[in-house]
Amino acid sequence: MKNIKNILIIALAFMMHGCSDFLEPDSLSTFNSEYVFSNVDDARKATNAIYTHFNQDAFRSRLSNNMTGNTDIEQNFGTSTSDRYQIWNLTPQVTNGDLKVVWEEAYKAIRDANFVIDGINASAALNSTDPAIKSNMRQFLGEAYTLRAYWYSMLVFHFGDVPFMTQAPKAGVEFNLPKEDRNVILSAVIQDMIDAEKDMQWADQTSYGIEQVNREYTLGMIARLALQRGGWFLKPDMTMDRKSDYLDYYQIAKDYTQKLITLKDRELPKDFNQIFLNESKFIVANPKTSDVLFEVPFPIGQGDVGWNIGIRVDAGTHPYGSGGNYMNIPPSYLYSFDTKDIRRDVTCGLYYLDKDLVPQVVGIGAIAQGKWSREYLSPAPGASTNKGTGINWPMLRYSDVVLMYAEAENELNGPTAAAQSALKRVRKRAFKEVDWTDKVDTYVANVSGSKDNFFNAIVDERAWEFGGEMIRKYELIRWNLYDKKVQAASEQCKKYADEAKAGTGTLPDYIYVKNVNNRLVILNLDSKLAIAPDATWTRVSWLNALNSSTGALGYQDWITKAWANYTYPVRYIMPLPAVAITNSKGLLKNDGYGY
């Protein structure tokens, strides 16, 4: 069962009912702020208000998944000019509604975080002689700093330089600000978390475990944002750049991942599938052993996981409702996995459930993110349901921390024994123990011949480990590999199509499938098969379906169009929304990136 029902829905009324413009100060009196942060209960409620912004479309469907494609492992495209298609096709307009809602909600979350930060820092309770009060207030302060850092990291990734507001709106504070350099913002919020984390509570000390920002998550976020700060970024003149001090931030990433590993290490849970099954079944993992360090706690009736991301379920008379996914997994990613890698079958959803809940094989262009499915919801939500599954969304996993450590150590010192050991930890879970000599020890030894080879192995490992979790876009940006990886995926799909047409290659042009005990079985996913062993199998077009008589150059349209605009340098930066420019009274404008 979920431990928490209210962290996304409890908020102080005076925080959630302000003026219409997100940049306009709320009419909070000094007395209100002093009272709220004089006691733990009200300070907890004020901090909860920051979490409510996860339950808006800006996060639950946009930032968590919709706006994080296209990549080499998650993709979609369309000919529509609607908001999400503009973003996927890299043709967003200043009137784009998705950009508007993300911009506004991000600054509302930042406003509420600033209110908590200012209030707690000014409160006598922060230095209370009561150890419990002092500990809780410092925990709330760390949560606010970390959540503010998350929202700024998203604004920077999507919009580049943005206004940097670090004070709550009140009389005498200028709230209409010009753009600040993105690297200045990232450096500042990283330092905020560094200053706060030592006084925060571990997940097993908090009230809500991994459904609440905790010290483990903050340590991981320091590393994640340090790698963002030390990575590449697109400048307004459409060139990619990296600051000369980038190694300083790789050192921070190494230091803080190592700190977490030293202070709060845990074995990676052996069952990779169970990590995500827990979320679909409303099971909150033990914070001492959980791979997930923090997951957004959607109350039942809220959240879009299992509706716009996950296994497709068609509407019918069954009680599970309907859902699908907006981002498909290309076959180039499916076949990048080692055939013995346990993560492949968990990540790549090769079936959907029809109106009678009978599993059917998907088309080659409709492979889903298989980590979540509404079919596991208990109790079943009802036949007419779709959105609002209540399935939590993972924000950071411990395996991510381990791989960030390996990446940072390699960048600083090459593929040392410590870096190799970290990579091995993740791969050991991905394969059965009988295969460790070949798939773990020999594999890691082979990729550790040089710094570049080990880096490329990290790039691959992160793809296999986090497929469908929609963080790949941000990694490709900071690695300066966005165009290379998506074009390689496109070319690989064309190669599969060409081989299927010619009858060459080793992968299946057709697959044979059947249902066994209401489970889909695929006979030959990894090899050609001329004929099935008996009549119980059904032949289905597979890689040959990548060809099309109507598509460009004979390929299915998505192969040539999904990544068509993802050429160097990829214009992943979005225009500032029209509302931001209008409300800034001349301070903000779109002055670069071809907008």
Side-chain angles (χ1 to χ4, degrees):
M1 293 290 293
K2 287 195 172 189
N3 292 330
I4 184 171
K5 300 291 185 186
N6 64 347
I7 205 166
L8 280 176
I9 55 178
I10 291 180
L12 297 179
F14 56 76
M15 292 195 70
M16 301 310 294
H17 298 285
C19 303
S20 59
D21 182 358
F22 75 97
L23 284 175
E24 191 169 344
D26 274 325
S27 56
L28 293 171
S29 69
T30 302
F31 172 79
N32 281 339
S33 180
E34 289 177 355
Y35 173 77
V36 167
F37 297 106
S38 68
N39 66 91
V40 168
D41 289 343
D42 285 325
R44 173 73 267 172
K45 293 175 183 176
T47 307
N48 284 356
I50 312 171
Y51 289 84
T52 64
H53 302 285
F54 285 131
N55 202 30
Q56 304 300 318
D57 275 348
F59 176 83
R60 67 188 177 202
S61 64
R62 271 64 172 179
L63 287 178
S64 61
N65 54 83
N66 281 2
M67 287 175 60
T68 53
N70 291 335
T71 72
D72 56 331
I73 68 176
E74 302 125 345
Q75 60 80 224
N76 207 333
F77 92 100
T79 56
S80 170
T81 58
S82 66
D83 294 340
R84 73 172 65 99
Y85 291 100
Q86 288 179 19
I87 292 171
W88 294 341
N89 296 332
L90 300 181
T91 57
Q93 306 299 306
V94 296
T95 54
N96 187 287
D98 286 358
L99 298 184
K100 176 178 180 290
V101 73
V102 166
W103 179 272
E104 291 186 333
E105 209 62 45
Y107 277 107
K108 288 177 183 177
I110 290 165
R111 173 204 64 194
D112 290 349
N114 287 340
F115 176 69
V116 172
I117 291 166
D118 288 357
I120 291 180
N121 277 325
S123 171
L126 182 62
N127 296 303
S128 173
T129 56
D130 184 319
I133 293 175
K134 181 178 179 179
S135 175
N136 281 316
M137 297 301 282
R138 290 177 183 270
Q139 167 64 22
F140 304 156
L141 184 61
E143 289 179 48
Y145 277 128
T146 304
L147 291 168
R148 184 174 74 176
Y150 165 78
W151 285 100
Y152 270 125
S153 75
M154 291 295 100
L155 285 170
V156 163
F157 262 130
H158 291 286
F159 299 104
D161 298 343
V162 297
F164 187 36
M165 285 168 265
T166 58
Q167 290 181 281
K170 59 184 176 183
V173 172
E174 179 58 58
F175 60 89
N176 194 16
L177 300 175
K179 294 179 184 178
E180 179 60 272
D181 184 299
R182 76 198 79 187
N183 294 299
V184 171
I185 295 173
L186 288 173
S187 296
V189 298
I190 290 167
Q191 189 61 52
D192 289 337
M193 292 189 290
I194 287 174
D195 294 339
E197 66 83 12
K198 62 183 180 297
D199 296 317
M200 293 179 68
Q201 297 169 3
W202 299 112
D204 61 349
Q205 297 174 317
T206 66
S207 300
Y208 303 120
I210 64 170
E211 291 187 312
Q212 177 181 345
V213 169
N214 48 65
R215 190 179 180 189
E216 290 99 323
Y217 177 64
T218 298
L219 283 164
M221 282 293 284
I222 291 170
R224 177 176 279 181
L225 268 62
L227 291 177
Q228 180 181 355
R229 170 62 175 80
W232 294 83
F233 60 92
L234 183 65
K235 293 168 45 176
D237 65 0
M238 291 299 290
T239 59
M240 293 294 287
D241 194 15
R242 182 187 226 176
K243 303 300 286 185
S244 61
D245 62 354
Y246 74 96
L247 286 179
D248 294 343
Y249 287 89
Y250 274 85
Q251 186 66 53
I252 291 173
K254 178 191 171 181
D255 290 346
Y256 283 87
T257 51
Q258 190 170 42
K259 185 173 185 177
L260 178 53
I261 291 168
T262 300
L263 295 178
K264 209 69 172 177
D265 197 16
R266 75 279 313 273
E267 292 295 322
L268 295 179
K270 292 188 179 354
D271 190 338
F272 187 71
N273 183 54
Q274 191 65 44
I275 298 167
F276 311 100
L277 194 60
N278 283 345
E279 291 167 334
S280 293
K281 287 182 171 291
F282 307 142
I283 299 170
V284 180
N286 184 334
K288 291 183 178 181
T289 59
S290 176
D291 189 13
V292 179
L293 300 182
F294 170 53
E295 57 187 21
V296 172
F298 288 119
I300 296 172
Q302 301 292 336
D304 289 350
V305 185
W307 177 68
N308 68 356
I309 185 168
I311 295 293
R312 168 185 155 194
V313 178
D314 289 346
T317 57
H318 63 79
Y320 291 95
S322 61
N325 68 89
Y326 290 166
M327 283 286 157
N328 300 311
I329 286 174
S332 52
Y333 175 59
L334 168 71
Y335 286 116
S336 73
F337 280 91
D338 188 291
T339 58
K340 292 184 177 181
D341 193 327
I342 294 166
R343 296 171 296 190
R344 183 175 77 164
D345 289 347
V346 176
T347 304
C348 303
L350 301 179
Y351 72 96
Y352 71 94
L353 298 177
D354 68 15
K355 64 181 181 63
D356 299 312
L357 284 187
V358 176
Q360 307 289 345
V361 68
V362 298
I364 191 65
I367 301 170
Q369 298 96 336
K371 291 177 175 176
W372 306 276
S373 178
R374 64 191 303 121
E375 67 186 289
Y376 301 119
L377 295 176
S378 181
S384 63
T385 58
N386 43 58
K387 295 168 70 75
T389 61
I391 298 173
N392 286 358
W393 181 253
M395 294 288 279
L396 182 67
R397 296 200 280 116
Y398 192 62
S399 59
D400 198 337
V401 171
V402 174
L403 288 176
M404 285 192 290
Y405 172 79
E407 179 184 348
E409 171 67 4
N410 179 64
E411 186 67 29
L412 293 165
N413 302 308
T416 62
Q420 292 180 50
S421 177
L423 178 55
K424 286 180 179 181
R425 288 189 69 179
V426 176
R427 287 189 67 81
K428 281 182 177 179
R429 180 173 62 189
F431 296 92
K432 294 179 180 178
E433 188 170 354
V434 68
D435 295 316
W436 283 358
T437 297
D438 181 29
K439 304 302 182 182
V440 178
D441 297 333
T442 301
Y443 174 86
V444 172
N446 288 340
V447 301
S448 299
S450 70
K451 177 179 173 179
D452 288 344
N453 287 345
F454 193 82
F455 167 73
N456 290 331
I458 291 292
V459 171
D460 289 342
E461 201 67 38
R462 292 189 67 86
W464 298 323
E465 179 72 12
F466 304 113
E469 294 174 58
M470 310 307 289
I471 61 174
R472 185 67 164 179
K473 172 181 178 178
Y474 307 125
E475 296 172 345
L476 294 179
I477 290 168
R478 68 178 179 82
W479 290 327
N480 198 17
L481 290 177
Y482 210 161
D483 63 306
K484 296 179 181 64
K485 286 296 182 181
V486 296
Q487 293 306 322
S490 177
E491 292 305 312
Q492 185 62 63
C493 290
K494 292 176 184 177
K495 182 174 182 289
Y496 290 151
D498 293 342
E499 290 175 346
K501 183 180 289 187
T504 58
T506 60
L507 294 174
D509 307 330
Y510 296 88
I511 54 176
Y512 291 87
V513 304
K514 69 177 175 180
N515 280 308
V516 178
N517 297 324
N518 209 41
R519 291 180 61 85
L520 181 74
V521 178
I522 301 177
L523 180 62
N524 62 312
L525 183 61
D526 298 297
S527 61
K528 291 185 185 296
L529 184 63
I531 189 169
D534 58 61
T536 63
W537 298 90
T538 300
R539 191 177 83 157
V540 177
S541 292
W542 195 239
L543 291 181
N544 67 311
L546 294 173
N547 291 289
S548 170
S549 60
T550 59
L553 303 175
Y555 305 119
Q556 279 196 14
D557 276 345
W558 64 264
I559 298 175
T560 55
K561 294 181 179 179
W563 300 294
N565 293 330
Y566 288 75
T567 55
Y568 186 81
V570 177
R571 189 177 70 165
Y572 65 86
I573 294 290
M574 308 293 172
L576 301 187
V579 65
I581 295 172
T582 299
N583 291 340
S584 76
K585 300 177 182 178
L587 274 179
L588 301 179
K589 61 181 178 179
N590 283 306
D591 51 356
Y593 310 105
Y595 295 120

